[in-house]
Amino acid sequence: KPIERERRSEAKFWDYDDSQKYLMQFGYLEKSNIETGNLRTIEELEQAVRSLQRFGGLKETGTVDEETLALMQRPRCGAPDDKDSLDFRPSYEVRLKRSRS
Amino acid sequence: RRYVIQGQKWQNPIVTYSLVNQTMSELDAGQVRRILHEALGLWAQHANINFREVYSTDADIQVMFARKFHGDGYNFDGPGKILAHAFYPGTGIGGDAHFDADEKWLLNEPLDAEGTRLFDVAVHEFGHSLGLGHSSQQDAIMFPWHHISYRGKDTIPEDDRLGIQSIYGPRKKIYGKNPERHTPSTTTTTTTTTPAPPPRPTTRPYYPVKNTTGHPWEGLYPHGRPYTTRRTTTTTTERSHHREDEETRYRTQLPATTETTTVRHRPHHRPHHRTTTTTAMTTTTTTTTRRPYRHRTTIHPNPCNTSFDAITLIRNELFIFKDRWLWRMNENDLHRPTPFEIHRMFFGLPADFERIDTVYENKHQKIIFFIGKQYYVFNSQYLEPGYPRPLTDLGLPDSIERIDAALVWSHNNRTYLYSGRLYWKFDEDTNRVELDYPRDMSMWRGIGYNIDSAFQYRDGKTYFFKGRGYWRFNDMNMSIAHEYQKSSARRWMKC
């Protein structure tokens, strides 16, 4: 099926697993699935790609196209993009803040 | 999304920073320090915050060049892709900025040179160290992907300026002086008088020993160096609370705060009599060997007012460990049984151990104790031959000084080992940790770092313990199921 083969060739640099790891690493996908092994819906994946494209100033297609792949391979900061990501903050302060609220 | 504020900010009027590993051979430390100073100075020009360089492990912002696994659970990946990362303001690792030593850093080269300008990345990372998150404005300094954001103009992009000023306010004008002449106090770096710390071992990557503001539970970095209390804005009560808590964690029991129990010892047992004198801020324990007593008063911790070193099910019975003592809780008993010394049930532990770090029963019905950098495998009550062995036999890095907790997780019945900010999944069949680890503890949302213990109870739920309280964990959400329960004693010690 040429369409299927063509789509697959787009990701020749990077397989879908790398894309998922990238999206988890920078806060676009829940990381906990790594441990729980919960499966993801295609909508969840497409939404994550759209968020990344929006943050990076690309057209929001929801699929990992050439521009999105290029963005994923650009040098960047290792901190996650998701503003709610608590990864880079001492988490007991988070609890303190929550208990205060 | 425009600029994002991460909620934390530095309270102290002057934020100190330090380049931790100055022995970086590839880069000239003097040039690097100049660039760090300029990068911080750029933020100081636009917000009411001041910086001072120190050369000690007391700094709020510790800057480090590291490669691959460097102890914070966020490994670097070699040249390209991830250049650096930084942590939002806070104690412990909060505020620190780490740069990938495998990158080709440009210090003075012109803009068009091949490589990554350290200044651009440093300005971005210090934005995180001050509390800013990433911005989707492509020209902003806080845009996640590397770009030349600042070309020496006298101001920073508006998005960044509004962001930093919403946290610290605009730079205060000094009246009565010629404002043009007044430059932000960051430009005057006073070289600190604190003596340079002793040269660090270059054998393995140096980890900054960070301090904590007296939070009683922060204990150790993964490589086991303890935090020292630093000059902080915390009140003395908090600090004395911290010191007191710190001591309860490590000192032998004092009669004042614990029940006294007389435990008869077999005459051949040569008891060591421990006297503990506590001066203002230190506890010294002198041990003298006396002639054997027929019995001696031995003090165990107050079970209704203590944290646990370990809590686990062994042969479906609940065991709670604290210092040299264990409680064997039977579900049907109404009252708490009298504790007894661990080495009177498990034969083969070192005679002089003060406490165990953790213990669990694996799927082969062996009982595994972790003490310091070693682990002990027991077949029922007897130590198996060939033990103890070092943690590195399990595939753990040599920098790990102890295991905080060992858990057979109720979700998948796999074994997890926790130490400091990191955790590993352990394969009982190969007897080694799995390859894709360690990972950062933030995966177990709400639990935090440096936990005391964790186990799966008979109800099939997983519980995490830290300090004197605990959480029940929601496996499907990978987060705590309820707020921190301040007292474990009622639920687990039948107090």
Side-chain angles (χ1 to χ4, degrees), chain B residues 213 220 317 398 465 475:
Chain B
T213 55
L220 299 170
E317 269 195 76
D398 181 43
F465 293 77
D475 296 347

Coordinates of all heavy atoms in Angstrom, one line a residue, chain B residues 213 220 317 398 465 475:
Chain B
T213 N 17.0 23.5 53.9 CA 16.6 24.6 54.9 C 15.9 23.9 56.1 O 14.8 24.3 56.5 CB 15.6 25.5 54.3 OG1 14.5 24.7 53.8 CG2 16.2 26.3 53.1
L220 N 19.7 12.6 52.1 CA 21.0 12.3 51.4 C 20.8 12.5 49.9 O 19.7 12.3 49.4 CB 21.4 10.9 51.7 CG 21.6 10.5 53.2 CD1 21.8 9.1 53.3 CD2 22.9 11.2 53.6
E317 N 3.4 -11.6 57.7 CA 3.4 -11.0 59.0 C 4.0 -9.6 58.8 O 5.0 -9.4 58.1 CB 4.2 -11.8 60.0 CG 3.4 -12.8 60.7 CD 4.1 -13.3 62.0 OE1 4.2 -12.5 63.0 OE2 4.7 -14.4 61.9
D398 N 28.1 2.8 41.7 CA 28.9 2.8 42.9 C 28.6 4.1 43.7 O 28.9 4.1 44.9 CB 30.4 2.8 42.5 CG 31.3 2.9 43.7 OD1 31.0 2.1 44.7 OD2 32.3 3.7 43.8
F465 N 6.4 5.6 53.1 CA 6.6 6.2 54.4 C 7.8 7.2 54.3 O 8.8 6.9 53.7 CB 7.0 5.1 55.4 CG 5.8 4.2 55.7 CD1 5.5 3.2 54.8 CD2 5.0 4.3 56.8 CE1 4.5 2.3 55.0 CE2 4.0 3.5 57.1 CZ 3.7 2.5 56.2
D475 N -2.1 3.1 42.3 CA -1.3 2.6 41.2 C -1.7 3.0 39.8 O -0.8 3.3 39.0 CB -1.4 1.0 41.3 CG -0.8 0.5 42.6 OD1 -0.2 1.3 43.3 OD2 -1.1 -0.7 42.9

